[in-house]
Amino acid sequence: MKSPDNDSARRQPFRFGRRLFLAATGCAPVASLLAADPPRPVTQASVPDDPAAPKEQVGTVPPSSPFDEPLIFARKDLTPRVKPFSLTQVRLLPGPFLSAQEANQALLRRQDADRLLHTFRINAGLPSSAKPLGGWEKPDSELRGHFAGHYLSGCALMYAATGDPQLKSKADYLVTELGKCQDRLGNGYLSAFPLLLFDRLRARQRVWAPFYTYHKILAGMLDAHQLCGNQAALQIARGMADWVDHWTAALTPEQMQTVLDEEFGGMNEVLYNLSAITSLPRYASVGDRFTKKRFFNPLALRRDQLRGIHTNTHIPQVMGAARRYELTSDMRFHDVADAFWRQVVDTRTYVSGGTSNNEGWLTEPNHLAQELSLRRETNECCCAYNMMKLARALFTWSGDSRIFDYYERNLYNHRLGTIDLTNGHTQYFLTLGAGSWRTFSAEEDSFWCCSGTGVEEFSKLADSIYFHDGNGVWVNLFIPSELEWEERHVRIRQTTGFPAEARTTLEIITESPQQFALKLRIPSWVSGPASISINGKASEVSADAGSYLVVHRSWRRGDRVELSLPMGLHVEAMPDDPSLQAFLYGPVVLASRLDTVKLPDSLVVGFQAPDLKKQPPPDIPPLRAEHADVRRWDRASRNALDFEVPGDRRLTFVPFNSIGPGERYSIYWKVV
Ligand SMILES: [Zn+2]
């Protein structure tokens, strides 16, 4: 999330975004200012003139522009290959994911709803004596109210995932009280800031992303409706969308395109969702107004023109494209989502599964080593969250197991370690530079974008473990959990110590025999043939890495399937510097702790990224090639994923996600 430079004393020093800068220095439309930029060949790497202020690239004019034609929304639903189970059907069992969920659940319970409502009530002219929140929620922050939307989604998701009645009550209370604010404001508008911010947006004056915040509240209302059954939330959402219709209808299409140069979250997606829920196409037509042609046109033509653009401004737009494809089967939107996915995952993703640097893409594709050398603020957590949502959508179209290779990489190496289990606080950037350390939000003085996606993320860890189709259950992740497949009167209980143990066990619980297929994902990283046994007897069924192993039979109560997934150490080098290498065991990225002493909270809490200047530069000599030869490494203990590197330098590698707050680490190593 791009923040203005006057926002927070603890803000990191780099922030002054390209578009905000332009708006502040004369309000000229971005496109016209950049139109003189020469087109840049996409395959040739070059360093931006000023990495701190990457140029937003217009690029070459496509020979045809699929999104320049007026869009007409016509519902024609896509038939997905696989469908997700609802969150209410899956429960996590003890393990690291349940621990993360519980830390977030406690955080959601601690939040005071009246404090979240304070700025909404003030804006609506209603009394409030609550103590204002700080950080991005403080009363003069232009993003105020965004966290309430995330919080509503987080409570609704957590209620679905756990049945926690306390969080349902808090969500219902928020909906009721926000409804009073909406009634008072009139015209359906609901926000914690006045319409003045939208006036400035229309005039292209300096403003901090009002539609971004509006989207969070609208999405929170839909989640409260769909997951908590709150009918009033749907009516509030419709009122909010009616106001958006009114506001956007007053603009010419050209004016609207300039408005879309300011970050607007997933306004297109949430309006498509509202259209699907209400069966009213007009909301989708309003969603179509949020089609940023300058971004979608090259994607539809499968051109990578991502260099220089702000990452998390654009991922939610692609999720909107994916949703519109699902509702209309319009291939233009499919191509946008598919091309974007491939560009980011194949050429712009670090070993951790995350993407972005300084919140943008600073280089041409496949220049990650160069990008890492430019800035240390890699891997914004919001980007990982949104890319995983996109992955989930794409998977339902194809059932391609490789999408879950990506998802799993992100889940274990980016997401799992970014929550502090002692308090539920989460990270902003997951920095990959050598000598970095994890920094976390403060309880009352952060409320960053990533704090918002964090309370959603860690409420829905159960949502992609299992999928289903007409024939059976797809098992994508190896996480201790229990699936209640009510439609088939079957429960499946998965128990595993994965990834510390390279296997998982599935137990079928059913009153009477049930015929269905069990489709087990065989990850691309397996180091040998995967195998299964059923009720202790080895099965001859096999499958290649990067596919599904399918067992179709009549299942009886107590049937047990054991899946073995051989794991090994392997190396992943940077595409533009083969000597810069990271080490993995199966899907798990390994890191080396650089110190035995943790840094104090004064360097950890409330910082979006580590301030490396406050510590001596790390002393990390290059790794000699024989030490980087993972065939020579020893496993430090039987039950943990710790490895020792033999030789004169005593190095130990551990799972990156086990590195705690304030511990300095190294991920990528120079190998000579
Ligand atoms: Zn963020």
Side-chain angles (χ1 to χ4, degrees), residues 1 380 382 449-450:
M1 178 68 208
E380 186 187 355
C382 285
C449 49
C450 299

Side-chain angles (χ1 to χ4, degrees), residues 1 120 137 142-150 190-193 197-198 208-219 240 263-265 267:
M1 178 68 208
F120 286 91
E137 282 296 328
E142 292 189 355
L143 216 67
R144 60 190 182 272
H146 81 105
F147 189 81
H150 285 296
L190 174 59
S191 175
F193 49 75
L197 269 63
F198 281 99
W208 193 10
F211 270 125
Y212 172 92
T213 295
Y214 205 85
H215 161 245
K216 306 302 171 241
I217 301 160
L218 196 40
M240 291 181 73
E263 186 168 4
F264 58 92
M267 282 300 299

Side-chain angles (χ1 to χ4, degrees), residues 80 199 424 532:
D199 294 342
I532 62 164

